[in-house]
Amino acid sequence: MTKPILYATVVAIALWMIAPMLVVIVTSFTDTPSFNFPPSGYSLRWYENFFANQAWRASFINTTLVAALVTITATTIGTLAAIGLHKGRFFGKSAMTGLMLAPLIVPGILVAIGLYSVFIQLNMLGSLPGFVIAHTVVALPLVIINVMTALSTFDSRLEQAASSLGAGRWEIFRRITMPLIMPGVLAGAVFAFITSFDEIIISLFIQSPRLQTLPVRMFQSVTQDTDPTVAAVAVLMMLVSVGLAALTRLIKPRSGSKQ
Amino acid sequence: MTTNNAKSGAGMRVELQAINKRYASIDAVKDVNLIIEAGEFMTFLGPSGSGKTTTLNLIAGFADLNSGAILIGGQPMQSVPAHKRNLGVVFQSYALFPHMSVWNNIAFPLEQRQHSKTEQRELISQVLKLVELNGFESRMPSELSGGQQQRVALARALVFNPNVLLLDEPLGALDKKLREWLQGELKRIHSSLGSTFIFVTHDQEEALSLSDRIAIFNRGRIEQVGTGQDLYERPETLFVGQFLGDSTILRGIRSGESSHSSILDFGGVSVTAPKARRASQNILLLRPEKISLTAPTGAAESGVNRIPATVSQRTYLGSSWRYDVTLGDGKPGIVRQGPAERMFEPGAQVDLVWSAADGVLLDADDSSGASAA
């Protein structure tokens, strides 16, 4: 294949991948209450509408709160799990690893139905703990993978060295292991936040009018009427996700000149 | 370093009592008994997989014994975890903390021991002087060369005045020139501190130049312990004789005894050896500098052995010539001759001549085949 053909193919594929985003971004600036593309005129009214509308604001705050709590639970549990899976020598270790990473592969709808049938009995539908627990299930594997990757490049002789120098287990973890796997932990935390932030399948099942996350409210809005506020919200969500993902790029190459 | 830091010189005695370590079904260390005296420079020398590093890890507390006991300063270490043993460890891979500066790396053991900031400053600047790295305090490990990193590792392992310093092939990853220079540094540091050094290496020259005594490891056991001279001149096993230095091996049949010597038959030639201690000793080991080459004359003198050989190669070594010869049974031999001696060309028929007292009589060794050096 010659270079121009290769180049053209790459551009075509790139366009194909970002085209939906471009459509949504352009649509969010329309001046008419419809999803016409391309729009006949441009305005910021749908962004205004988002910030002015009490219901949209409430679900944005809910989503952010859920995602923040999920980040804390998933990062804590996931980091500890990854360390246990990396260091532990126990029976059924690989089965345990597979089980913890399963939510990545198992269809979301299956997890959703499972959680729904349990939550309905426990009266947890539409509750904050319900959302945090549900989203933690799907966010956990991402933390575990990121931390395990960081651990796989971690030289365990550093821990032997630290212990020979007089550090006990907790000191070794606090002063040596944790700082060195920190980039992996932070990357996992960002993925956990983003996963919870735009989770829709499970959220649709476990939501109630008591508590709706942003994606749920967007879904309902699109199915009920043609309100371009959804496009504006989508753009805002995209900015949050892309911003956080960019942050992990900044974290990674840190050589670690601390103190 | 000799000033007010009065805690130095606190080297401790290390005792290994019948220690055993198995990994899966492999005996990594088997019934090792050894006493390392306080302040001694002891080297564990052996091929890879011989158990020397495992023994070091057991002393450090990185692995648990299957049986036996380790005593440091007379105290049993069985229930003492690695971080309470007060040992310095230097690793081949340096194992510097990559996220800490040189200063913070060296301060780490002092912080664990709750030294005040003032004490830390004093001890760190002393130890940096000792390893000649003043001015490098704020560098990160990644900004240092291999030799500098190893000296930081050494400083970090020494700064808290450990009772014993364990060094696991610390110079293995460095080039020859740097290695030789650091050997000198290690020797100087050892004599200025007086603490016990246990040094693991597979490099025999390093072992000979550094150590007070050397323990030769083979297949999880110690074959022999002694000074370099002991081991070279009086090896007790064929493995030790062949691992340390060059040698010519004569496999003969014992054909007679006198009050001071044993007679071996070597392909029809009678050879006199020092008196055997066991009936099974029928191998004669000769060091290359103990043998001289002469033209074949056949004239017998008492107390002098003489066997025929053919020169296969001659190599100039600067201060001497090395001759590789082929013995009557086709086996190789090595002879070192001074520059003033008569020279022989490859292919020449010669006699190897040595004094009967210079041979070392040994048992046939079941492990020699695997590890001839």
Side-chain angles (χ1 to χ4, degrees), chain A residues 163-165 167 171 175 256, chain B residues 83 87 99 111-113 140:
Chain A
S163 82
S164 77
L165 296 170
E171 276 292 289
R175 299 280 316 270
Chain B
H83 70 279
L87 307 173
H99 59 304
E111 286 161 3
Q112 300 305 319
R113 285 164 178 78
M140 299 303 285

Side-chain angles (χ1 to χ4, degrees), chain A residues 27 50 112 134 148 176 212 228 237 244:
Chain A
T27 309
F50 170 75
M148 279 182 95
I176 310 299
Q212 289 186 329
M237 289 188 73
L244 284 171

